[in-house]
Amino acid sequence: MARLLDRLATRLLKLPPATTGYTVTKDLRVPMRDGVTLAADLFRPVAEAAGTILIRGPYGRGMFAAGAAGVYAARGYAVLYVSSRGTFGSGGVFDPMATEADDGQDVVRWMVAQPWFTGRFATLGISYLGFTQWALMADPPPQLAAAIVAVGPHDFARHMWGTGALNLDFLGWADLVAHQEDPGVLRRVYRQATAAKRLGPVLAGLPVADAGERYLAGRAPWYRDRVTRPDLADPFWAPMRQAAALERADVPILIAAGWQDLFLEQSIEQYTRLRDRGVDVALTVGPWSHTQVAGQGAGLITRETLDWLGEHLAGHGRRRRRTPVRVFVTGAGEWRDLPSWPPAERERTFFLNVNGELTAERAGEAATAAFTFDPARPTPVSGGPVLSGGGVVDDSALAGRDDVLAFTSAPLTEPLTVLGAPVLTLAHSSDNPHVDVFARLSDVGARARSRNVTEGYLRLDPERGDGPVTLRLRNVAHRFAAGSRVRLLISGGAHPQYARNLGTGENPSTGSAMRPATHAIALRTSSIVLPQVEPEG
């Protein structure tokens, strides 16, 4: 089975051929400081190991995990794959991300004392398995030689509440984790395939915390705490906020991300903060959503991982990437090598204008636009950086809604390439201080089909007073073709990506009363600035 899995992975992912066979020792017990033991599998190459790889996470050590670990074992690395506490045979109670820092230190303490340990190790993994790496690097062990983090957050609290609004994706993830050990592979696959349909009525329910708890039926006891604590300074969040790793990690780190990924902005921050400290860091960003990274992006990321391990762990490889940063430019369908991110840029400003136009000239002094957000009928959103159903979609229907403002440019006379984070400035007011602002930049093609490019979301401070609202959209690398149009969509919500603003000031997860809000925008001083790279013709 191991050989078959490796042959399949080698062909599908276009990997270099295996160099050795390997053995698997299952269900090792790794002791924690509180007496709990974690379950682990060890993959050991038949040949002398070139280094050790540590992978930790809550998703089990089944065929998919074994195939991933086997890829590296078959190329000369010893791989220790450890299940998070409370999952797949590990003792204790699963409390997402709360114990990963301490448990990581205990796993390393045990690992380096084993006779098979090679003296140096690297970490790797995707998503939650990326968080476990940052948690370890907040206090990096001396034996750590390198890390490869794919779409992995370092600050889970900020993902949940960083916009001021609750990220409702957490319910879908809680549902997935709560049932991932249910018997029957086909049953689990079916459950996941029908998750969106089942979760729809739950996400529409109020209060949010109660609706989620009823649905989860006690299988995720940690759910309520995370959806009812909007204060990022709450000590509850401390173990789930590992930004210290960005100041303490000093090993070579490869970061992989996707333009439509949940954690893109944290991946960009990881790269920039490490780069600014002089750490050897590289960044690859592809055209992927979160789930697509493990599918469409798997081949490229695995090949880059093998190169990184060869150079920094085994010591027999050479750097194959030409520049520290590689990004896929959507709209152009091409990869671009860059010395840094974001690249040097000039600005292209579009002003919001009357009749839904996006222009190079300002609107008249008295020009305004308005819409009403009704939390009883929250503005929907499709595609974008969500866990299920995310990515690039046709969002034309949004522009026609009465609770959305749409501003569209004239057809471009030449291509426009945007690399970086667009910034939206709105002269905004509302008749209710409790409001959110959602903005999306879309590409309207020659056939009038609109496809999302990037977006941003912000819950406004009800005490903010007068003054412009500035919203920094997510980073992007996209080329608008000649003849296409730039579209800006503005609304007061993006449900069910974010919990609706109830308009009352109540805790968004425990409240149920609702009050609409009318937003008004003075167009003359409202604009979006795009970081444009070199002129193109």
Side-chain angles (χ1 to χ4, degrees):
M1 178 61 75
R3 289 182 179 179
L4 178 61
L5 285 174
D6 187 74
R7 287 197 197 101
L8 185 61
T10 299
R11 175 175 296 181
L12 291 177
L13 305 182
K14 300 179 181 177
L15 304 180
T19 59
T20 179
Y22 63 89
T23 62
V24 183
T25 304
K26 291 185 173 294
D27 297 318
L28 294 170
R29 306 307 301 181
V30 183
M32 302 292 100
R33 67 191 68 180
D34 60 358
V36 167
T37 61
L38 305 186
D41 294 346
L42 175 64
F43 299 74
R44 293 182 65 186
V46 174
E48 181 178 357
T52 301
I53 296 172
L54 173 62
I55 305 174
R56 298 189 300 123
Y59 303 129
R61 308 180 314 284
M63 181 177 294
F64 179 79
V71 163
Y72 302 105
R75 286 154 183 84
Y77 300 97
V79 184
L80 182 67
Y81 204 122
V82 186
S83 288
S84 296
R85 67 169 56 209
T87 68
F88 292 91
S90 286
V93 177
F94 183 55
D95 189 5
M97 302 190 182
T99 64
E100 297 296 355
D102 287 345
D103 288 354
Q105 296 295 333
D106 292 349
V107 167
V108 171
R109 209 169 283 122
W110 176 85
M111 180 180 69
V112 300
Q114 303 310 302
W116 45 261
F117 180 64
T118 57
R120 299 168 76 243
F121 75 99
T123 59
L124 63 84
I126 182 173
S127 191
Y128 191 111
L129 284 65
F131 175 83
T132 65
Q133 296 180 71
W134 295 119
L136 182 65
M137 286 188 284
D139 184 13
Q143 300 88 352
L144 182 63
I148 301 98
V149 181
V151 295
H154 59 272
D155 189 335
F156 189 67
R158 223 171 72 205
H159 171 67
M160 290 282 294
W161 289 102
T163 64
L166 172 64
N167 193 320
L168 285 177
D169 251 348
F170 184 63
L171 177 60
W173 183 81
D175 180 46
L176 169 69
V177 173
H179 292 276
Q180 65 177 344
E181 297 188 59
D182 287 357
V185 173
L186 292 179
R187 183 183 303 174
R188 293 197 302 272
V189 170
Y190 175 79
R191 182 178 182 83
Q192 188 58 24
T194 58
K197 182 177 181 180
R198 287 183 289 102
L199 288 171
V202 184
L203 293 168
L206 292 173
V208 168
D210 293 350
E213 280 197 318
R214 284 194 299 271
Y215 174 76
L216 293 168
R219 301 191 67 163
W222 30 266
Y223 172 78
R224 176 172 283 270
D225 269 337
R226 285 161 175 77
V227 301
T228 56
R229 296 175 180 264
D231 182 5
L232 298 185
D234 187 332
F236 167 81
W237 290 112
M240 289 163 264
R241 310 194 71 190
Q242 297 295 334
L246 307 186
E247 300 303 321
R248 297 173 185 168
D250 58 0
V251 299
I253 300 175
L254 172 62
I255 297 168
W259 292 125
Q260 297 295 328
D261 177 51
L262 312 173
F263 306 118
L264 169 67
E265 292 304 290
Q266 291 201 35
S267 295
I268 298 289
E269 180 187 2
Q270 291 155 13
Y271 163 77
T272 55
R273 288 178 63 179
L274 292 167
R275 177 205 61 195
D276 291 348
R277 290 180 46 233
V279 175
D280 185 0
V281 59
L283 173 69
T284 296
V285 189
W288 314 304
S289 67
H290 192 72
T291 54
Q292 287 170 342
V293 168
Q296 298 174 17
L300 174 63
I301 292 172
T302 303
R303 293 192 298 272
E304 290 195 348
T305 296
L306 287 168
D307 288 344
W308 201 257
L309 292 170
E311 179 182 1
H312 298 294
L313 181 59
H316 56 59
R318 61 178 180 83
R319 182 154 304 192
R320 299 192 182 189
R321 61 188 303 142
R322 291 179 289 183
T323 59
V325 175
R326 293 189 70 210
V327 300
F328 188 88
V329 183
T330 58
E334 64 186 27
W335 286 94
R336 184 172 294 197
D337 294 319
L338 300 170
S340 189
W341 182 269
E345 63 195 40
R346 61 194 184 100
E347 296 180 345
R348 175 80 172 267
T349 301
F350 288 93
F351 294 96
L352 283 61
N353 219 314
V354 295
N355 300 320
E357 295 180 352
L358 204 58
T359 65
E361 299 80 29
R362 293 181 184 273
E365 196 70 46
T368 61
F371 66 92
T372 297
F373 174 77
D374 184 355
R377 188 179 67 99
T379 312
V381 72
S382 59
V386 294
L387 186 61
S388 177
V392 177
V393 300
D394 184 342
D395 62 4
S396 303
L398 273 179
R401 290 181 58 91
D402 61 7
D403 55 358
V404 176
L405 294 179
F407 299 89
T408 308
S409 75
L412 298 171
T413 57
E414 60 182 20
L416 168 62
T417 302
V418 178
L419 271 69
V423 177
L424 174 66
T425 301
L426 295 177
H428 176 278
S429 61
S430 60
D431 64 356
N432 180 343
H434 303 288
V435 292
D436 296 356
V437 174
F438 170 75
R440 170 176 279 184
L441 194 67
S442 296
D443 185 337
V444 183
R447 297 181 180 179
R449 185 183 184 190
S450 176
R451 294 172 69 80
N452 56 301
V453 174
T454 186
E455 59 196 57
Y457 197 97
L458 183 64
R459 178 152 297 182
L460 302 188
D461 181 353
E463 306 296 329
R464 68 190 181 279
D466 295 332
V469 170
T470 300
L471 178 57
R472 183 179 183 273
L473 277 59
R474 289 160 48 93
N475 279 267
V476 65
H478 182 77
R479 178 180 296 165
F480 293 86
S484 67
R485 293 176 290 163
V486 179
R487 173 171 286 169
L488 174 67
L489 302 173
I490 300 172
S491 71
H495 193 268
Q497 182 178 355
Y498 295 101
R500 73 198 89 175
N501 194 321
L502 300 176
T504 63
E506 291 183 89
N507 184 304
S509 295
T510 57
S512 56
M514 292 180 280
R515 179 186 164 198
T518 296
H519 300 239
I521 297 172
L523 298 181
R524 182 169 179 79
T525 51
S526 297
S527 64
I528 185 164
V529 178
L530 306 183
Q532 178 184 357
V533 295
E534 77 281 352
E536 301 183 31

